[in-house]
Amino acid sequence: MKSRADDKKTRAQAHPALDTIKSRVEERVAAAGLSKNEASRRAGLGLSYVNDLLAGKSLNPTRESLAKLGQVLDTDADYFFGTQGTPRISSHPVSNLLPIEMPQSTAGTIPLFHIGLPDPDGFFPLVAERRASWTSPLLVSRDVYAITVPDDCMAPRYRMGEVALVSPSKPVVHGGFAVVRQTDDRVAIRQIITISADKIVVRCLDTNADIDLPRKNVKALERVIASCELV
């Protein structure tokens, strides 16, 4: 039998928002029409993650784990923690945010931007003079464009000189990769860690450094859907 001291220690170890986390995870699992085991498996958290959380066996879930679960349940991590009122805060509209007019692609031909050196903060402009028509080896939709990867800050996922294919219309998910477009229309490829009402947390893979970007400075997130060698 647990002593009063043991109970006090357990409460101290528990996340202060644990009850909210549990109720909202249960709500979103039900809304997704998934079993707890299936939601856990799809999130890459093992079969018992959600069951352990709801049963009180996991008392202090991490933001990283809940962000992975949120990808499966179409939910921002901040919703689980109770700091966000709705399951998902959509990103800014992205269908017409390219700084220059994009030609419609035909027969697999899409715009390709050859990127020079990034600015000191890692962002770079998409310059019309460095745009060319390029026949993608992959079947892509008409709104997709491509950029050459300018450096190795996203290695080993994307390496300098490869081509990243970008879809402005596909939704961006936590843990996924996107072109982050700032309000000055400079862009950078980053991993999206979390999206909240006031900031977007992104990551560079070469250093595993997370960077907070004020949401007011981000015009759009445009999903990276594939990459390939430039041939």
Side-chain angles (χ1 to χ4, degrees):
M1 180 179 295
K2 283 187 177 181
S3 67
R4 186 172 299 176
D6 289 335
D7 287 339
K8 186 175 181 180
K9 183 179 179 181
T10 297
R11 288 195 298 271
Q13 292 173 340
H15 193 285
L18 183 61
D19 288 343
T20 299
I21 293 169
K22 288 166 63 175
S23 65
R24 291 193 170 187
V25 166
E26 188 169 26
E27 166 208 317
R28 295 307 296 166
V29 169
L34 299 174
S35 70
K36 299 178 182 66
N37 285 356
E38 180 63 13
S40 302
R41 184 191 68 78
R42 292 189 185 187
L45 298 170
L47 285 178
S48 65
Y49 179 83
V50 172
N51 276 313
D52 288 347
L53 176 61
L54 298 183
K57 296 179 181 179
S58 174
L59 300 177
N60 200 358
T62 65
R63 173 174 287 275
E64 184 175 5
S65 294
L66 289 177
K68 290 179 179 179
L69 187 62
Q71 291 179 40
V72 175
L73 303 178
D74 193 30
T75 307
D76 295 325
D78 284 327
Y79 179 72
F80 290 138
F81 288 111
T83 58
Q84 180 174 303
T86 58
R88 175 74 78 190
I89 294 179
S90 60
S91 60
H92 300 276
V94 296
S95 60
N96 60 352
L97 290 177
L98 291 176
I100 50 182
E101 184 178 353
M102 302 293 291
Q104 291 289 338
S105 59
T106 59
T109 300
I110 62 176
L112 168 65
F113 291 89
H114 293 276
I115 304 304
L117 290 175
D119 294 335
D121 62 358
F123 283 77
F124 47 86
L126 299 183
V127 182
E129 290 75 14
R130 297 179 66 88
R131 183 185 69 195
S133 294
W134 179 65
T135 301
S136 169
L138 306 175
L139 182 64
V140 295
S141 60
R142 290 170 61 85
D143 67 335
V144 169
Y145 68 96
I147 59 176
T148 54
V149 179
D151 53 32
D152 278 334
C153 80
M154 296 307 294
R157 183 64 180 260
Y158 306 109
R159 294 192 179 277
M160 184 170 62
E162 290 183 341
V163 173
L165 281 76
V166 185
S167 172
S169 61
K170 287 188 177 296
V172 174
V173 298
H174 292 100
F177 296 85
V179 166
V180 180
R181 186 181 297 279
Q182 299 200 113
T183 52
D184 61 5
D185 279 321
R186 293 180 308 132
V187 303
I189 301 173
R190 295 292 184 263
Q191 185 178 23
I192 307 303
I193 304 304
T194 59
I195 304 171
S196 61
D198 61 339
K199 67 180 179 181
I200 297 172
V201 181
V202 301
R203 178 175 296 168
C204 292
L205 295 187
D206 62 340
T207 61
N208 271 332
D210 289 356
I211 303 168
D212 292 354
L213 300 177
R215 183 145 182 159
K216 65 181 180 180
N217 294 344
V218 178
K219 179 186 285 187
L221 300 176
E222 301 169 354
R223 183 169 174 173
V224 179
I225 58 172
S227 64
C228 59
E229 295 289 338
L230 181 60
V231 293

